[in-house]
Amino acid sequence: MTKRSFNVAVVGATGTVGNEMISVLEQRKFPVKEIKLLASERSAGESLEFDGKDVSVEVLNENSFKGVEIGLFSAGGSISEKFAPIAAREGCVVIDNTSAFRMDPQVPLVVPEVNPHAIGQYTKKNIIANPNCSTIQMVVVLKPIHDAVRIKRVVVSTYQSVSGTGKEAIRELEQQTRAIFTQQEIEVNVYPHQIAFNCLPHIDVFLENGYTKEEMKMVNETRKIMEDDSIQISATTVRVPVFFGHSESVNIETEKKVTPQEVRDLLAEAPGVVVEDDPSLLKYPLAIYAAGRDETFVGRIREDPSIETGIDMWIVSDNIRKGAALNAVQIAEILIDQFL
Ligand code: L14
């Protein structure tokens, strides 16, 4: 019997996440029959390599999805809002990496290690949402702890790399760093302030309540993925001058008491998680080592003495891989295995 394969489109193929989606499809040998690389006018004429062959990038339009079975979207929220429903109507299952549909009750929001069963809900709109990068790496660690001792409250601060914003942001950090060392003018275009040698407590737009949209994504998406609206969450999301990999300081309050060693033991068994926690050897997760890896790394696991049942930890993952491209392809793998 010949193995089934699928027509796959990558929307936003020339972007940071789009490029990584192409690599992850290759690396994991996703059964691709034909690949379609879609992008805006700006990328017209470019070509990218897939499985050793040059594939030209096509300009996205209403007719792009004829015969396409799976669409991986990462070209921004407004592109998804317009084109995901068009693709879905053509019978293409959309896995959308933007925030456009994440909180839509008709759209499952999936991290395969946490709520793979939700993928079955894709039939309502033919759309599955890929969560925010900072949310994904946090919930793969929180889920096993929640199942064991129930998490009541989470206080998280993030240290997010510039790659999440895209190629112009990577260039901006590079340019500013060089400029400062060589006493040239710095260019400030992508972020509202200098990012080199700085920390910006501001990701995505500010909302009425004083939080940013990125912070509220962490609150709302975590509850949806963990299927528990009772979890209280407060987030502060910060941009730092790091190219790849997001780090997070996470404080949790649990219903039942749990020791740091019990948390380590729980997480040692958790899918997609690596415990890196040995202060005596100066071992703890670092963004520079998480970059390019598939796993989420956790360390600095310790008891919070300020409350009865609290744990602190440090969680790091590659925001472009597990935080975006890899998570989307893992969803596609389960989709074709169990639902298509
Ligand atoms: O997917 O790092 O909601 O600037 C939006 C902000 C992705 C990261 C999302 C960033 C995020 C992006």
Side-chain angles (χ1 to χ4, degrees):
M1 202 178 88
T2 54
K3 200 162 162 254
R4 283 190 318 155
S5 58
F6 300 84
N7 293 328
V8 178
V10 178
V11 179
T14 55
T16 311
V17 174
N19 286 174
E20 197 70 22
M21 283 170 161
I22 294 166
S23 308
V24 174
L25 288 168
E26 286 175 341
Q27 289 160 1
R28 296 174 71 90
K29 301 193 169 24
F30 190 86
V32 176
K33 193 189 299 167
E34 220 176 291
I35 195 144
K36 202 166 199 179
L37 304 180
L38 299 165
S40 71
E41 216 62 80
R42 264 177 302 149
S43 303
E46 283 181 41
S47 67
L48 294 168
E49 214 181 279
F50 181 75
D51 264 346
K53 288 180 220 91
D54 278 332
V55 181
S56 28
V57 177
E58 298 172 40
V59 178
L60 172 67
N61 67 51
E62 273 89 349
N63 302 314
S64 296
F65 299 98
K66 294 222 168 17
V68 176
E69 295 162 285
I70 298 168
L72 304 175
F73 278 57
S74 196
S78 52
I79 297 292
S80 288
E81 271 165 36
K82 176 161 180 212
F83 288 96
I86 293 173
R89 234 176 285 129
E90 295 277 353
C92 168
V93 182
V94 171
I95 301 173
D96 182 39
N97 187 48
T98 76
S99 59
F101 299 99
R102 288 179 188 148
M103 297 313 297
D104 184 331
Q106 311 261 65
V107 172
L109 180 66
V110 178
V111 177
E113 293 83 350
V114 178
N115 63 337
H117 52 268
I119 293 174
Q121 306 286 305
Y122 81 93
T123 49
K124 292 183 180 159
K125 282 203 170 166
N126 251 4
I127 302 173
I128 302 167
N130 205 46
N132 171 265
C133 37
S134 296
T135 307
I136 293 176
Q137 66 180 64
M138 185 168 79
V139 297
V140 296
V141 172
L142 294 190
K143 175 66 174 166
I145 304 173
H146 191 53
D147 287 345
V149 291
R150 211 184 89 76
I151 295 170
K152 292 201 284 192
R153 179 168 183 255
V154 180
V155 180
V156 53
S157 295
T158 69
Y159 303 67
Q160 298 185 217
S161 66
V162 298
S163 53
T165 315
K167 289 182 176 172
E168 334 71 63
I170 295 174
R171 252 179 266 123
E172 185 151 297
L173 174 57
E174 246 163 32
Q175 191 279 332
Q176 291 181 355
T177 308
R178 268 185 230 281
I180 287 164
F181 273 117
T182 53
Q183 281 136 49
Q184 319 259 304
E185 264 321 284
I186 65 154
E187 290 163 24
V188 177
N189 299 313
V190 177
Y191 297 119
H193 306 280
Q194 177 186 319
I195 180 63
F197 308 100
N198 203 6
C199 299
L200 309 177
H202 171 193
I203 298 179
D204 210 333
V205 296
F206 279 97
L207 303 171
E208 288 280 283
N209 64 0
Y211 283 88
T212 62
K213 198 171 161 199
E214 186 79 352
E215 289 161 351
M216 294 314 295
K217 285 178 222 165
M218 292 193 77
V219 175
N220 297 321
E221 294 180 20
T222 298
R223 290 178 176 156
K224 180 167 173 176
I225 300 161
M226 306 253 285
E227 297 170 350
D228 187 344
D229 285 338
S230 72
I231 305 177
Q232 298 300 309
I233 305 163
S234 176
T236 303
T237 57
V238 181
R239 185 82 60 194
V240 297
V242 168
F243 286 106
F244 292 97
H246 288 358
S247 305
E248 299 178 342
S249 160
V250 179
N251 175 268
I252 58 171
E253 183 177 358
T254 59
E255 195 163 279
K256 278 200 267 166
K257 179 110 187 141
V258 65
T259 67
Q261 193 49 49
E262 284 165 345
V263 171
R264 275 179 219 114
D265 293 343
L266 273 172
L267 294 175
E269 303 291 312
V273 175
V274 174
V275 178
E276 253 180 5
D277 195 12
D278 193 345
S280 71
L281 297 173
L282 313 185
K283 206 167 129 195
Y284 32 74
L286 292 173
I288 55 167
Y289 300 129
R293 299 279 302 271
D294 286 348
E295 305 90 340
T296 297
F297 300 87
V298 56
R300 298 294 321 281
I301 299 167
R302 59 208 193 276
E303 192 170 327
D304 172 0
S306 73
I307 45 174
E308 270 314 303
T309 54
I311 293 284
D312 276 299
M313 57 200 149
W314 179 248
I315 302 173
V316 180
S317 192
D318 184 327
N319 55 301
I320 300 300
R321 274 185 93 82
K322 184 55 186 168
L326 171 64
N327 198 74
V329 174
Q330 287 176 312
I331 292 172
E333 288 169 349
I334 298 173
L335 181 76
I336 62 169
D337 226 53
Q338 297 181 20
F339 300 99
L340 292 188

